[in-house]
């Protein structure tokens, strides 16, 4: 990857999101069904600020919420990346997912009114935080709130299903190839380049997520590079042959 090429970062201000040279509409954000209920033109600005905390900076390694904490907000990634994990007192924390720009965090806490996972920033990031309890309290149209929540949850269920389906692979190399394709397609869905992007997660984190040793992740990435399918320089990755990577992923089913 050209060292001068900057990957777009996603920020949100009022009704418009943008990232570097690539403009990203708020409609691409997972929070959009709920944020649409907040009318900046008619609602009191103080009330709006109590509902939506936009574009908050998060330090690398900072924890948004921990497993077992009472549910209070839904978050969306505006720039950077996060990981979801289940802490363990007997072994390494189990990583069960990564969150990219535009994706939601904390939705799983709605059902039991507690967060079932811990979410932590992989790098310096920005988020939007929507206080669901305050949204219900400050907006009179409860039916619209419920419909927006249903819309948001249905999108999240569909996303999680597709993610699981893509990453279930029998071979280790197939899982690695599918993981890269999954990241690429998710970025494309949010308006970013799917052929050239950064890997914010470490090889250790990728291995933890896929159930593989870090050395195995490194070996397979080098194998993909030798085959001319990808080009990788530390955390920068370029997919040179998407069809070839897809074929390798499908061969591992």
């Amino acid at each position: 990857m050209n060292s001068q090429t900057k990957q777009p970062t996603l920020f949100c201000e009022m009704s418009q999101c943008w990232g570097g040279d690539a403009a990203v509409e708020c409609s691409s954000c997972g929070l959009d069904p709920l944020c649409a209920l907040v009318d900046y033109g008619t609602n009191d600005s103080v009330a709006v600020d109590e509902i939506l905390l936009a574009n908050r900076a998060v330090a690398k390694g900072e924890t948004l919420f921990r497993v077992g904490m009472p549910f209070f907000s839904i978050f969306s990634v505006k720039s950077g990346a996060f990981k979801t994990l289940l802490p363990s007192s007997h072994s390494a924390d189990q990583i069960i997912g990564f969150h990219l720009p535009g994706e939601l965090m904390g939705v799983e806490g709605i059902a039991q009114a507690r967060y079932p996972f811990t979410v932590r920033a992989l790098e310096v990031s920005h988020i939007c935080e929507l206080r669901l309890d305050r949204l219900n309290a400050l907006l009179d149209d409860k039916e619209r709130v419920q419909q927006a929540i249903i819309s948001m949850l249905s999108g999240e269920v569909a996303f999680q299903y597709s993610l699981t389906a893509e990453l279930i692979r029998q071979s280790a190399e197939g899982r690695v190839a599918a993981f890269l394709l999954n990241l690429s397609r998710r970025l494309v869905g949010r308006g970013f380049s799917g052929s050239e992007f950064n890997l914010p997660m470490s090889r250790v984190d990728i291995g933890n997520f896929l159930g593989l040793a870090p050395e195995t992740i490194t070996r397979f990435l080098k194998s993909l590079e030798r085959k001319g399918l990808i080009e990788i320089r530390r955390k920068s990755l370029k997919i040179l042959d998407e069809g070839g990577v897809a074929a390798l992923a499908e061969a591992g089913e």
Side-chain angles (χ1 to χ4, degrees):
M1 182 186 298
N2 188 330
S3 61
Q4 299 300 313
T5 301
K6 293 184 178 180
Q7 292 299 310
T9 54
L10 182 64
F11 296 89
C12 187
E13 181 176 301
M14 295 300 185
S15 62
Q16 183 179 7
C17 294
W18 68 93
D21 296 328
V24 180
E25 299 296 332
C26 277
S27 57
S28 296
C29 176
L31 273 182
D32 182 62
L34 286 173
C35 288
L37 298 179
V38 182
D39 187 345
Y40 287 96
T42 59
N43 278 307
D44 179 78
S45 60
V46 175
V48 169
D49 289 342
E50 290 181 0
I51 298 173
L52 180 63
L53 309 176
N55 200 27
R56 176 164 74 86
V58 181
K60 179 180 180 179
E62 182 178 339
T63 298
L64 280 187
F65 51 82
R66 299 182 184 277
V67 59
M69 283 180 58
F71 173 81
F72 55 92
S73 293
I74 299 171
F75 303 85
S76 68
V77 185
K78 293 306 170 186
S79 69
F82 293 77
K83 61 182 176 182
T84 297
L85 49 90
L86 281 173
S88 172
S89 58
H90 305 293
S91 59
D93 296 343
Q94 177 61 52
I95 296 174
I96 57 176
F98 299 103
H99 303 277
L100 306 178
E103 296 178 354
L104 297 178
M105 303 176 290
V107 173
E108 300 86 354
I110 295 176
Q112 301 298 323
R114 289 188 179 275
Y115 293 108
F117 313 120
T118 294
V119 168
R120 189 168 297 144
L122 287 166
E123 58 186 354
V124 176
S125 305
H126 286 78
I127 61 169
C128 278
E129 176 182 354
L130 189 138
R131 298 298 301 263
L132 199 57
D133 55 344
R134 296 178 182 175
L135 181 69
N136 276 303
L138 292 173
L139 295 185
D140 296 328
D141 194 341
K142 307 302 182 187
E143 183 176 350
R144 286 186 64 204
V145 174
Q146 292 173 353
Q147 290 174 345
I149 292 174
I150 291 172
S151 175
M152 180 192 67
L153 291 178
S154 64
E156 185 68 10
V157 169
F159 165 70
Q160 292 297 337
Y161 175 81
S162 65
L163 176 61
T164 302
E166 288 183 4
L167 293 180
I168 295 177
R169 296 291 187 274
Q170 294 180 355
S171 77
E173 191 170 27
R175 268 181 280 167
V176 173
F179 175 74
L180 297 180
L181 277 181
N182 178 268
L183 292 180
S184 171
R185 290 166 181 170
R186 286 158 64 185
L187 288 168
V188 168
R190 303 297 180 180
F192 295 99
S193 169
S195 61
E196 192 170 355
F197 51 89
N198 289 331
L199 289 175
M201 60 289 293
S202 67
R203 306 294 190 266
V204 173
D205 282 350
I206 296 173
N208 183 306
F209 177 60
L210 296 178
L212 302 170
E215 297 79 9
T216 302
I217 299 298
T218 299
R219 184 170 70 252
F220 283 138
L221 288 176
K222 289 182 178 178
S223 174
L224 292 175
E225 189 167 32
R226 285 196 301 270
K227 293 174 181 177
L229 302 180
I230 66 171
E231 179 182 322
I232 190 163
R233 295 292 180 270
R234 301 185 69 179
K235 287 184 175 292
S236 299
L237 183 138
K238 186 174 185 179
I239 296 179
L240 303 175
D241 183 354
E242 182 179 353
V245 177
L248 191 60
E250 292 169 1
E253 293 180 337

